[in-house]
Amino acid sequence: MAYSRFKLKINTPEGVFFEDDILQIELKTSTGYIGILANHAPLIGAIVPSVCYIRDIRNNRVSAVINGGMFYTNNNEINIITDFFDFSNKVNESVIAKREERIKQAINNKTFSGQQVVEKIQTKLQKELNTLRKIIKD
């Protein structure tokens, strides 16, 4: 089966992480995986922390780790907005440790209205980091 190409653009806080033509992408939402092909109808959705699968233009299936975020499709392009994305053959404990250090720096650079807010943020971020660790071990 011949697939048509469409544009994938992955945006992180550091800027555009990846931009290229692909044939297909599979993303995990709160209700399960969704597959997107070229000429998909406009769609907006949330992504949960998971492994996503990209079929490149050579028809290779590549996996990547994503820490959640959102996506939207329009005009034969899919845009993903996330705070963490990396191809899974590159993700290891040192990558997660670097991410954890950046999170701690971001918390230290912000002023919050109380210790309870800081503790809530730290708990949520620790849960996300643990989810990433679990994903790379599976």
Side-chain angles (χ1 to χ4, degrees):
M1 172 185 259
Y3 293 105
S4 297
R5 297 177 181 197
F6 66 108
K7 180 72 69 186
L8 167 63
K9 187 174 182 181
I10 300 168
N11 301 282
T12 66
E14 290 82 27
V16 176
F17 176 83
F18 180 83
E19 184 173 8
D20 206 353
D21 287 344
I22 63 168
L23 301 177
Q24 178 183 14
I25 188 164
E26 297 171 50
L27 300 168
K28 189 172 184 183
T29 68
S30 60
T31 58
Y33 275 92
I34 180 172
I36 308 229
L37 298 168
N39 303 310
H40 197 286
L43 180 66
I44 298 174
I47 305 166
V48 297
S50 59
V51 175
C52 70
Y53 302 96
I54 299 166
R55 189 153 310 271
D56 68 20
I57 59 171
R58 292 175 303 284
N59 207 24
N60 297 316
R61 190 172 190 233
V62 180
S63 58
V65 175
I66 188 166
N67 192 41
M70 60 95 49
F71 72 92
Y72 64 94
T73 65
N74 195 21
N75 295 328
N76 223 22
E77 181 173 301
I78 181 165
N79 284 277
I80 294 175
I81 301 168
T82 182
D83 63 347
F84 181 81
F85 184 97
D86 214 336
F87 294 99
S88 39
N89 61 350
K90 296 181 185 176
V91 177
N92 56 35
E93 190 60 37
S94 67
V95 171
I96 293 174
K98 287 178 189 174
R99 171 142 172 74
E100 186 172 20
E101 184 58 34
R102 282 191 309 210
I103 290 168
K104 287 177 182 177
Q105 288 174 353
I107 289 171
N108 290 336
N109 292 337
K110 302 287 181 198
T111 49
F112 297 99
S113 59
Q115 185 62 27
Q116 188 177 18
V117 173
V118 172
E119 289 170 2
K120 271 185 163 178
I121 292 169
Q122 288 174 328
T123 301
K124 183 177 185 321
L125 292 173
Q126 192 60 52
K127 182 179 174 185
E128 289 178 7
L129 290 169
N130 289 339
T131 300
L132 284 174
R133 285 186 177 100
K134 183 178 183 282
I135 288 169
I136 66 170
K137 287 180 184 175
D138 289 345

